[in-house]
Amino acid sequence: MRASADGFDTVLVVDFGAQYAQLIARRVRECRVYSEIVPSSMPVAELLAKRPKAVILSGGPSSVYAEGAPQVDAALFEAGVPTFGICYGFQAMALALGGEVRRTGLSEFGATQLTVSGDGGAVLAGLPTTQQVWMSHGDAVLAAPPGFVTTAASDGAPVAAFEDLGRGLAGVQFHPEVLHTTHGQAVLEHFLYDVAGCRPTWTMVNIVDEQVDRIRVQVGGKRAICGLSGGVDSAVAAALVQRAIGDRLTCVFVDHGLLRKGEPEQVERDFVASTGVTLKVVDATDRFLEALAGVSDPEQKRKIIGREFIRVFETAAREIVAESEAHGESVDFLVQGTLYPDVVESGGGEGTANIKSHHNVGGLPDDLQFSLVEPLRTLFKDEVRKVGEQLGLPAEIVWRQPFPGPGLGIRIVGEVTRERLDVLREADAIAREELSSAGLDRDIWQCPVVLLADVRSVGVQGDGRTYGHPVVLRPVSSEDAMTADWTRIPYDVLARISTRITNEVREINRVVLDVTSKPPGTIEWE
């Protein structure tokens, strides 16, 4: 997706090991400018070969003058590509161009007051003279490089922002990408629009049109199959491919009996109705429950569910291939809902039929070799949802909470049985219904409901003593699931959820709330 080839300006985010590299890329895209993350080890010539409109140097955990610390090749600054440094990237730019970086003894971590000098230059133009920013540094730039103008300072950073507009170079010591920096998005917009001259043309309409064209070129006249999980990623990927190649796509929906209440019916009814896709449904509930009988260990449950899913999908895929070949057609492609964080976290590797383990379909046999179609591999989750809306998918699918591949199998702490699944489905459905009625669907990343099947607690229901199961509500808020905090749900909503679950699901007599952030806890319990 390059400016000259596809009509989009591209910004490259050079990652120096920052915890916020993906967040920088997301914020750039929120400015409607396409961004990609590249490693700091990428040679300048290779970086320039991508024809970026601008480059952003990320933060990082190192000291720029420490032995072995990643540096910026000064050749980048001579290439005429506008470049913006953030935190470590800011210091690396200063050092490479002749500025002075030293440990001052006055570190700044967290919310910090920034004082803007003069008119703030281009990057801080029009922003308050004093503003809150988010700092995370022990070193500081004491002197800007020759030709640069210092535009802001803080108590621990004499040079907290600088720019050389003649060369299109600028940087800030703080993190504009985090929400704690009050005017951070404006800072990024000023650099992208006013310094780099980027065009805000990265829109959902353009994304859909571009991906449809790409899919048509890749697939040609062949056929493709897609494993639908019921989640938003596979649904949007399938809808995009279906728009591109029509009835030459066949989707396989494996119902392993571990989905939430109403989800199998929704996939079969709403997804087909909104897309017109050809759907092959395989009800494998009995097979999965038999394989899981007597198993309580979470890792073993995951392996069993993954293994059985592959086997069921393999059988369905063979049937589709055989039927297509009988009509003189070839099934050469497998559609996957791989997202950009998956690509970044797996090293950005490319290939065909080397299917990543974090997706539902993996480990297919050698005689079932498909080339991958991954129309979402450049997108973050929030962008995928917007594409889904653009494609006309139902809101119930587009805004569905992330759901693990093993489904409710890992939300039952203990053995998975048909009876326990029925209990958890009812409790989960009540929680989802009340959160939706309260208008909290889009405020919560997800709210797993966990059944502690091997635990019983004493309770009183009616005039009798009970020994029912507890369930755990795990509401979390997150942007990318890499970190998360528990969501502060209003007490009255929690009360309704608890009352309804204990009244309507007789096997449950206690509802508890998980208030652990990630880290240290994970989002799922198993």
Side-chain angles (χ1 to χ4, degrees), residues 419 423 451 456 461 467-470 504-509:
E419 294 72 27
V423 169
L451 176 65
R456 286 186 180 272
Q461 290 172 302
Y467 292 94
H469 298 291
E504 298 174 31
V505 188
R506 64 179 181 81
E507 295 87 352
I508 297 173
N509 68 352

Side-chain angles (χ1 to χ4, degrees), residues 193-215:
Y193 301 155
D194 302 332
V195 178
C198 293
R199 299 166 296 166
T201 56
W202 174 250
T203 66
M204 293 308 112
V205 174
N206 289 339
I207 292 169
V208 170
D209 291 344
E210 182 208 20
Q211 287 302 326
V212 166
D213 290 342
R214 285 174 176 267
I215 293 164

Side-chain angles (χ1 to χ4, degrees), residues 356-389:
K356 302 178 185 70
S357 61
H358 54 253
H359 290 294
N360 281 337
V361 184
L364 292 175
D366 292 339
D367 61 339
L368 272 179
Q369 289 289 308
F370 301 105
S371 295
L372 294 184
V373 179
E374 299 175 302
L376 310 179
R377 66 180 283 114
T378 62
L379 303 181
F380 289 97
K381 174 75 79 172
D382 56 334
E383 293 171 324
V384 171
R385 295 191 194 280
K386 292 175 183 175
V387 169
E389 290 180 325

Side-chain angles (χ1 to χ4, degrees), residues 331-352:
V331 182
D332 292 356
F333 296 92
L334 174 66
V335 179
Q336 284 208 144
T338 309
L339 304 190
Y340 192 49
D342 301 328
V343 176
V344 174
E345 289 159 19
S346 62
E350 298 179 358
T352 57

Side-chain angles (χ1 to χ4, degrees), residues 61-387:
S62 304
S63 291
V64 289
Y65 47 74
E67 183 177 354
Q71 301 297 331
V72 181
D73 187 338
L76 172 64
F77 306 120
E78 305 303 322
V81 178
T83 302
F84 186 67
I86 294 175
C87 194
Y88 182 92
F90 171 69
Q91 296 173 4
M93 177 187 290
L95 195 64
L97 293 172
E100 183 182 357
V101 181
R102 277 196 295 141
R103 185 170 296 275
T104 63
L106 183 57
S107 301
E108 291 176 315
F109 296 98
T112 304
Q113 287 296 111
L114 182 80
T115 301
V116 177
S117 305
D119 62 3
V123 172
L124 299 174
L127 301 183
T129 302
T130 302
Q131 55 188 280
Q132 177 182 291
V133 298
W134 190 259
M135 291 281 199
S136 182
H137 70 100
D139 302 331
V141 176
L142 298 184
F148 281 75
V149 175
T150 298
T151 57
S154 68
D155 288 344
V159 181
F162 59 39
E163 57 189 43
D164 179 347
L165 297 182
R167 290 191 285 173
L169 305 178
V172 294
Q173 179 62 68
F174 56 89
H175 288 274
E177 72 274 18
V178 303
L179 294 177
H180 305 289
T181 295
T182 309
H183 300 283
Q185 196 66 11
V187 169
L188 290 174
E189 288 178 355
H190 289 171
F191 169 72
L192 294 170
Y193 301 155
D194 302 332
V195 178
C198 293
R199 299 166 296 166
T201 56
W202 174 250
T203 66
M204 293 308 112
V205 174
N206 289 339
I207 292 169
V208 170
D209 291 344
E210 182 208 20
Q211 287 302 326
V212 166
D213 290 342
R214 285 174 176 267
I215 293 164
R216 285 173 178 160
V217 170
Q218 181 183 3
V219 177
K222 306 291 187 180
R223 297 188 65 86
I225 62 173
C226 175
L228 271 183
S229 67
V232 62
D233 301 341
S234 63
V236 174
L240 265 174
V241 175
Q242 197 275 339
R243 177 167 291 194
I245 66 173
D247 60 8
R248 286 184 287 117
L249 170 69
T250 301
C251 291
V252 177
F253 174 53
V254 176
D255 183 0
H256 49 28
L258 305 172
L259 294 174
R260 293 170 288 193
K261 185 176 181 179
E263 286 185 330
E265 297 80 6
Q266 192 176 65
V267 172
E268 294 181 49
R269 180 189 66 242
D270 297 345
F271 183 74
V272 172
S274 61
T275 63
V277 76
T278 301
L279 181 66
K280 181 181 181 69
V281 179
V282 182
D283 186 351
T285 301
D286 293 341
R287 174 174 182 157
F288 278 84
L289 289 178
E290 289 171 10
L292 289 167
V295 178
S296 295
D297 179 75
E299 272 309 301
Q300 192 176 356
K301 286 194 287 188
R302 286 180 178 273
K303 289 177 180 177
I304 289 170
I305 294 168
R307 180 194 70 210
E308 294 302 318
F309 188 96
I310 292 167
R311 290 177 177 174
V312 174
F313 184 86
E314 174 190 345
T315 300
R318 289 189 189 282
E319 293 172 358
I320 294 169
V321 169
E323 183 179 342
S324 297
E325 290 178 344
H327 290 85
E329 297 179 304
S330 175
V331 182
D332 292 356
F333 296 92
L334 174 66
V335 179
Q336 284 208 144
T338 309
L339 304 190
Y340 192 49
D342 301 328
V343 176
V344 174
E345 289 159 19
S346 62
E350 298 179 358
T352 57
N354 182 20
I355 299 162
K356 302 178 185 70
S357 61
H358 54 253
H359 290 294
N360 281 337
V361 184
L364 292 175
D366 292 339
D367 61 339
L368 272 179
Q369 289 289 308
F370 301 105
S371 295
L372 294 184
V373 179
E374 299 175 302
L376 310 179
R377 66 180 283 114
T378 62
L379 303 181
F380 289 97
K381 174 75 79 172
D382 56 334
E383 293 171 324
V384 171
R385 295 191 194 280
K386 292 175 183 175
V387 169

